[in-house]
Amino acid sequence: MSGVASEPIIRLENVSRVYDTGKVQVPALLDVDLEVADGEFLAIVGPSGSGKSTMMNILGCLDRPTSGRYILDSNPVDELDDDGLAYLRSRSIGFVFQSYNLLPRTSALENVAAPLLYQGVSRKERLRRAQAALERLGLADRVGHVPSELSGGQQQRVGIARALVTEPALLLADEPTGNLDSHSGAEVLELFKDLHSLGRTIVLITHDLDVAQAADRAVHLRDGRLQDAVPA
Amino acid sequence: MKITDLIGLAFSRLGTGKMRAALTMLGVIIGVASVVALVSVAQGATKGISDRLQSLGTNLLTVSPGFTTTGATRGGFGTATTLTVDDATALAQLDGVQAIAPELTSNKLVIAGTQNETARVVGTTPGYLSVFAYDMWVGSFLNQASVDHNLRVAVIGATTADNLSLTETSVGSTIFIGGLPFNLIGILQPKGGTTSTDDQVLIPLSTARQLFVGSNSVSAIGVSAANQDVISTVSAEITATLEQRHGITTGVDDFSIATQAQLLGTVSGVSDTLTLLLAGIASISLLVGGIGIMNIMLVSVRERTREIGIRKAIGARGRDILSQFLVEALALSLAGGLIGVGLGVVASYGIGVYAGWGFVFNPVTVVVAVLFSLIVGIVFGVWPASQAARLDPVVALRYE
């Protein structure tokens, strides 16, 4: 699904997201322009309340911009309906969440296999690919464990395996180290660097400047506006 | 998503909450079990009644005399005295007629020893035994000689025998009918019917005519057809014969013919209504069971909001979520339906054996009950499932 070499994976043009609370209009993102090239590792840094979550929702196709254009992997996101967004999430995006968001009471293997369910992959093939993804992340001996039996670092690696199992164009991580101790956090960041070196496009959203150091490039979000891009 | 994947999801989910799943299914189980059991009871009861009716002789036609008109008042059928012994003799000659039994009935005081009772006294012929499908318990039935020679012999029904304290040792003793002495020659097997089929005294037709009625008319003629297939033919023959004998050309007959088939038809009509009524009552519990499923599914959607958010984030469309929850509701209702059918069949077997009509199993009821439980699952599963499908993934992912 990757675009032409010159085409960026992400292109935001003049994107705003305004929440309508009935009486007042609350702008969460204002006139954001952003491009992320194929194979780039970008950090979006901002304090809480800066519009990070909104940015994550827009980039992750969980939400649509109120105005502006968003092109993801050559698809015009702002023109798609709910099923279209679901299709993009299924094919083009792999999410890594701060709180892992694994399905409870479900084995690591089934968790990692779940995204393939919505691509219509056969069960046998789903389990084979999930097994391979877990093995790549060093979790071969944990496939049958449910999330409550895994450490935070292990759960996050299961989460990353789930994000990678569909070979998405974009890996979108929202504070992936936020719930981890410094050692596990460092491991996860190393993992991202490895994935980046293998050519994966990664967008990392964080409030932590140290975490942002792992990326090639960081942009700063403040009060819903993107500040000058600074090389990391 | 493939249907096998949906079923897999549903069962892995229900497997993690077995107690809740069982309790949710209970409503449907009870509903379906009561539908199956009550319908089976209704049909069993019908079968019991039909069996008894058939024990009276399925090939039986009863010919009754017509009505009399006194002034402007029309009497009921049987009030006329238009049927005669000669009519009966003529009917016996018809094709397809196996046996006939004319009946000359009057109520008389019957005395045996110190006991007495007013009983239905029927003058008839030896054909009576086969026409009305009676069996002898002890002694012998009326024979042709007793009819030919106006013998004072009597055969009594089982209930009459009980009422008069007569037992097998009483055969050969003398009883008094209408003040006249009769030799008791036999006692009938009880039939156990609801009508007074066991409460009667049978004496030779000629004797009854001579002693009690003094005329040539009979109150009814029982005709036994050779088999069930010729009943309508025999009925037509009887009509033609009697019209000819009575000189009727106007089309208004002075007699009527009733068959057991007509009676059976009435019974089955009543039983259909009864079955429908019971099934309707039982369906209410199925409805309540469906509401139980809806309730649990709504709770489940609320509890699993975050799971729904996760599933949407990793690519599930609204309709994937909808089908997942719908299949869960269907699995609950269908499993409940199947268990209910099992319990219902066991219950109807137990009731059938206890009540004595045996086991009545109707596959149609089972199929309908299972289909109905599926419909319950769809109807009461759709709303919770569409609630789940409509959840906004952003909100659902943040839900604690």
Side-chain angles (χ1 to χ4, degrees):
Chain A
M1 288 289 284
S2 288
V4 191
S6 61
E7 188 78 7
I9 293 287
I10 289 175
R11 187 158 75 222
L12 296 181
E13 292 172 7
N14 227 7
V15 164
S16 294
R17 179 68 174 95
V18 180
Y19 292 107
D20 190 347
T21 60
K23 282 180 180 161
V24 276
Q25 309 256 305
V26 182
L29 280 183
L30 279 172
D31 300 329
V32 172
D33 291 300
L34 179 69
E35 284 199 1
V36 179
D38 192 5
E40 196 177 357
F41 185 179
L42 173 76
I44 297 176
V45 191
S48 71
S50 60
K52 283 200 310 286
S53 294
T54 307
M55 191 68 171
M56 153 92 181
N57 293 339
I58 300 275
L59 289 179
C61 300
L62 293 165
D63 196 7
R64 280 187 208 82
T66 314
S67 63
R69 296 228 69 191
Y70 173 24
I71 313 290
L72 170 68
D73 201 17
S74 310
N75 297 289
V77 175
D78 47 289
E79 294 170 11
L80 296 174
D81 61 4
D82 285 351
D83 279 1
L85 292 187
Y87 185 85
L88 265 191
R89 292 197 296 268
S90 172
R91 305 280 162 165
S92 301
I93 300 170
F95 282 102
V96 179
F97 299 97
Q98 176 174 2
S99 52
Y100 328 128
N101 273 341
L102 300 178
L103 299 172
R105 296 181 297 278
T106 306
S107 71
L109 189 66
E110 293 285 352
N111 257 294
V112 175
L116 298 171
L117 186 64
Y118 301 110
Q119 292 189 355
V121 178
S122 76
R123 178 168 172 79
K124 199 176 156 197
E125 177 67 7
R126 288 204 301 269
L127 295 181
R128 191 190 67 72
R129 283 166 67 177
Q131 178 77 33
L134 283 165
E135 281 170 6
R136 273 205 303 280
L137 290 168
L139 290 164
D141 56 340
R142 293 285 185 273
V143 290
H145 289 56
V146 297
S148 57
E149 295 166 352
L150 297 171
S151 73
Q154 287 169 336
Q155 288 191 57
Q156 193 56 297
R157 277 189 285 158
V158 173
I160 294 168
R162 182 179 65 186
L164 292 174
V165 78
T166 58
E167 302 289 339
L170 170 68
L171 192 63
L172 188 58
D174 180 19
E175 300 279 12
T177 58
N179 284 14
L180 298 177
D181 60 69
S182 56
H183 175 69
S184 302
E187 275 185 1
V188 164
L189 290 178
E190 279 307 311
L191 198 53
F192 280 135
K193 285 183 191 168
D194 291 348
L195 291 168
H196 171 52
S197 69
L198 293 170
R200 214 159 265 298
T201 312
I202 303 171
V203 170
L204 172 66
I205 296 174
T206 181
H207 71 284
D208 188 338
L209 283 170
D210 292 340
V211 170
Q213 294 296 323
D216 293 344
R217 180 164 75 101
V219 293
H220 291 259
L221 202 58
R222 190 173 292 278
D223 298 332
R225 289 176 190 277
L226 219 49
Q227 310 286 300
D228 297 335
V230 287
Chain B
M1 283 175 81
K2 294 190 205 70
I3 186 70
T4 48
D5 291 334
L6 286 167
I7 292 168
L9 273 182
F11 278 94
S12 68
R13 166 68 193 174
L14 299 180
T16 59
K18 292 191 185 68
M19 191 60 184
R20 176 194 277 199
L23 287 173
T24 309
M25 281 189 289
L26 198 57
V28 176
I29 292 174
I30 292 172
V32 170
S34 42
V35 169
V36 171
L38 285 179
V39 167
S40 162
V41 164
Q43 291 179 335
T46 309
K47 181 170 169 280
I49 295 169
S50 304
D51 286 352
R52 284 190 176 172
L53 282 178
Q54 288 186 343
S55 78
L56 301 178
T58 43
N59 303 342
L60 177 66
L61 299 98
T62 309
V63 185
S64 309
F67 49 86
T68 53
T69 306
T70 313
T73 311
R74 197 190 114 165
F77 276 102
T79 52
T81 51
T82 48
L83 281 184
T84 63
V85 175
D86 296 335
D87 287 335
T89 313
L91 296 185
Q93 312 305 318
L94 294 174
D95 283 344
V97 171
Q98 199 172 47
I100 61 146
E103 289 181 86
L104 196 54
T105 307
S106 66
N107 288 320
K108 295 288 172 209
L109 184 68
V110 182
I111 302 169
T114 57
Q115 307 292 319
N116 71 82
E117 171 186 54
T118 300
R120 198 165 74 98
V121 176
V122 181
T124 188
T125 59
Y128 188 92
L129 199 63
S130 69
V131 169
F132 292 100
Y134 280 95
D135 289 314
M136 292 306 296
W137 177 46
V138 287
S140 56
F141 195 67
L142 309 172
N143 56 23
Q144 196 56 45
S146 65
V147 177
D148 290 347
H149 300 104
N150 310 353
L151 297 183
R152 288 197 198 167
V153 291
V155 173
I156 61 172
T159 307
T160 316
D162 272 355
N163 293 346
L164 296 174
S165 304
L166 294 169
T167 63
E168 61 255 60
T169 56
S170 313
V171 172
S173 67
T174 300
I175 61 174
F176 292 86
I177 302 171
L180 299 169
F182 279 73
N183 186 17
L184 180 65
I185 58 168
I187 302 176
L188 298 171
Q189 283 274 12
K191 273 195 173 185
T194 46
T195 49
S196 58
T197 47
D198 291 326
D199 192 5
Q200 58 184 357
V201 177
L202 305 173
I203 59 174
L205 178 68
S206 51
T207 314
R209 218 165 92 203
Q210 188 183 46
L211 297 178
F212 304 128
V213 182
S215 89
N216 199 29
S217 71
V218 295
S219 45
I221 304 171
V223 178
S224 169
N227 58 60
Q228 274 183 298
D229 300 333
V230 300
I231 286 177
S232 54
T233 321
V234 168
S235 177
E237 282 178 349
I238 293 172
T239 307
T241 307
L242 292 181
E243 280 178 351
Q244 191 207 340
R245 288 180 58 84
H246 297 180
I248 295 165
T249 51
T250 55
V252 182
D253 291 341
D254 60 354
F255 58 91
S256 68
I257 303 170
T259 65
Q260 287 296 89
Q262 290 169 335
L263 203 51
L264 281 172
T266 310
V267 167
S268 82
V270 170
S271 103
D272 286 350
T273 312
L274 185 70
T275 306
L276 212 59
L277 177 75
L278 288 176
I281 293 170
S283 305
I284 294 172
S285 55
L286 200 51
L287 188 75
V288 174
I291 293 170
I293 287 186
M294 179 162 71
N295 187 21
I296 286 297
M297 292 307 294
L298 282 173
V299 170
S300 176
V301 168
R302 176 60 62 88
E303 278 178 353
R304 292 156 69 192
T305 298
R306 198 176 179 104
E307 178 196 326
I308 294 162
I310 295 169
R311 289 190 180 277
K312 285 201 159 182
I314 63 177
R317 292 163 302 177
R319 79 181 81 124
D320 295 322
I321 302 292
L322 180 88
S323 15
Q324 182 185 345
F325 278 80
L326 198 54
V327 169
E328 261 178 48
L330 276 179
L332 280 172
S333 63
L334 185 60
L338 291 176
I339 296 171
V341 164
L343 283 181
V345 166
V346 169
S348 48
Y349 178 80
I351 296 170
V353 167
Y354 176 75
W357 56 65
F359 179 46
V360 182
F361 177 76
N362 190 343
V364 175
T365 316
V366 171
V367 171
V368 168
V370 170
L371 280 182
F372 207 78
S373 66
L374 269 181
I375 292 169
V376 162
I378 292 172
V379 167
F380 293 103
V382 155
W383 187 46
S386 67
Q387 298 279 94
R390 274 202 298 268
L391 279 176
D392 179 350
V394 173
V395 176
L397 273 173
R398 303 251 178 278
Y399 187 85
E400 293 297 336

